[in-house]
Amino acid sequence: WDETHFGKMGSYYINRTFFFDVHPPLGKMLIGLAGYLSGYDGTFPFQKPGDRYEQHNYVGMRGVRLYRLVSSWLALLCFSVQILELSKSLPAALLTAFILIFDTGCITLSQYILLDPILMFFLMGAVLSMVKCNSCADRPFSASWWFWLSLTGVNLAGAMGVKFVGLFVVLLVGLNTIYDLWDLLGNLSLSLVMFGKHFLARVLCLILLPLALYTAMFAVHFTVLNKSGPGDGFFSSAFQSQLIGNNLHNVSVPE
């Protein structure tokens, strides 16, 4: 059923048809982009599970360009987190990667038009970026430290932009940041000015940057979906007047 739902959402983006959905837009925009790049024209109705795609080019949306690539990166990210930062054990990292590679659930998820592989990619990316940033604690404000801190913020925005379940990795990074700042505050050799710089750097990269990217996703969402569709009724008359094909299009709506 989910493939029917998210496949239809991808078709809406390709056709630039406005719709309303409970999930944030990033994952569905990537699904639509995968279909567009692979030559899918957005004409399949996605009415019920099990309908045959027939001549419709669904392959790009289902896996070749997006899901298989994302799923293959999951094992690499998991391996990197284990061997580079956490266990520092090659056998443990190999075992973790192999468990993920041969997990039936992950294999199944990577074969259909779903948000979960994209979500898992950003979740693992956020964890990897966080632990890599922690490893640069002895050289704060270096290029690598800024890179991993900023990449953590980017991955947080990505996780939140796919599903609200991404809040859990935001909580994880938030707790890690609080612990890190508390440790810095207890360092008597660190001046308050330097502590303030650490605090502002985290506010910039872990709060402001993710919020800016998350807002930008919706800006792209509303820019692309400029035609009237099934989601019109959830929004104000003033908003509907901006949608091509709506009965109120270009009508002057009083405040």
Side-chain angles (χ1 to χ4, degrees), residues 163-182:
K163 276 188 174 183
F164 288 124
V165 182
L167 274 171
F168 286 104
V169 79
V170 174
L171 177 63
L172 173 65
V173 173
L175 291 174
N176 177 78
T177 304
I178 292 171
Y179 174 82
D180 189 28
L181 288 173
W182 181 256

Side-chain angles (χ1 to χ4, degrees), residues 8 12 50 56 59 82-83 89 96 133 137 139 145 160 175 179 200 217 223 237 248 253:
K8 184 179 291 186
Y12 284 149
H56 295 278
V59 178
Q82 280 287 340
I83 194 171
S89 167
T96 305
C133 184
R139 49 186 190 280
W145 185 87
M160 277 294 298
L175 291 174
Y179 174 82
L200 291 176
M217 295 172 198
T223 300
S237 299
L248 300 176
V253 179

Side-chain angles (χ1 to χ4, degrees), residues 9-24:
M9 302 298 104
S11 297
Y12 284 149
Y13 279 105
I14 293 173
N15 296 319
R16 307 193 67 173
T17 302
F18 187 78
F19 67 95
F20 178 79
D21 188 57
V22 295
H23 297 296

Side-chain angles (χ1 to χ4, degrees), residues 40-124:
Y40 171 60
D41 58 5
T43 56
F44 187 72
F46 286 101
Q47 290 181 342
K48 63 181 184 297
D51 284 347
R52 293 186 179 275
Y53 289 103
E54 301 297 346
Q55 77 280 5
H56 295 278
N57 189 1
Y58 67 94
V59 178
M61 295 178 71
R62 232 187 198 188
V64 172
R65 289 181 178 268
L66 184 61
Y67 294 99
R68 302 277 169 81
L69 177 64
V70 165
S71 298
S72 63
W73 271 93
L74 288 177
L76 181 59
L77 288 172
C78 197
F79 177 85
S80 300
V81 170
Q82 280 287 340
I83 194 171
L84 291 178
E85 302 304 332
L86 298 182
S87 69
K88 298 188 183 299
S89 167
L90 180 59
L94 287 172
L95 177 62
T96 305
F98 275 113
I99 288 174
L100 188 59
I101 290 171
F102 295 106
D103 180 76
T104 305
C106 288
I107 293 173
T108 304
L109 287 176
S110 66
Q111 294 178 345
Y112 295 98
I113 305 172
L114 300 171
L115 299 180
D116 303 272
I118 310 172
L119 173 65
M120 289 191 293
F121 175 80
F122 284 115
L123 292 177
M124 286 302 304

Side-chain angles (χ1 to χ4, degrees), residues 117-160:
I118 310 172
L119 173 65
M120 289 191 293
F121 175 80
F122 284 115
L123 292 177
M124 286 302 304
V127 174
L128 175 61
S129 302
M130 180 187 71
V131 296
K132 287 293 290 179
C133 184
N134 289 342
S135 70
C136 299
D138 58 338
R139 49 186 190 280
F141 306 108
S142 63
S144 58
W145 185 87
W146 277 112
F147 173 78
W148 290 113
L149 187 63
S150 301
L151 190 59
T152 303
V154 171
N155 282 308
L156 291 179
M160 277 294 298

Side-chain angles (χ1 to χ4, degrees), residues 178-241:
I178 292 171
Y179 174 82
D180 189 28
L181 288 173
W182 181 256
D183 189 52
L184 289 171
L185 187 61
N187 186 354
L188 299 180
S189 63
L190 194 71
S191 68
L192 286 178
V193 173
M194 186 58 67
F195 174 79
K197 291 181 179 179
H198 276 278
F199 179 80
L200 291 176
R202 285 158 177 79
V203 169
L204 174 64
C205 295
L206 301 180
I207 298 179
L208 297 181
L209 177 60
L211 284 176
L213 292 175
Y214 187 75
T215 305
M217 295 172 198
F218 280 92
V220 174
H221 170 79
F222 288 116
T223 300
V224 172
L225 304 182
N226 63 350
K227 297 180 181 179
S228 180
D232 295 15
F234 292 97
F235 291 83
S236 66
S237 299
F239 179 83
Q240 293 182 46
S241 68

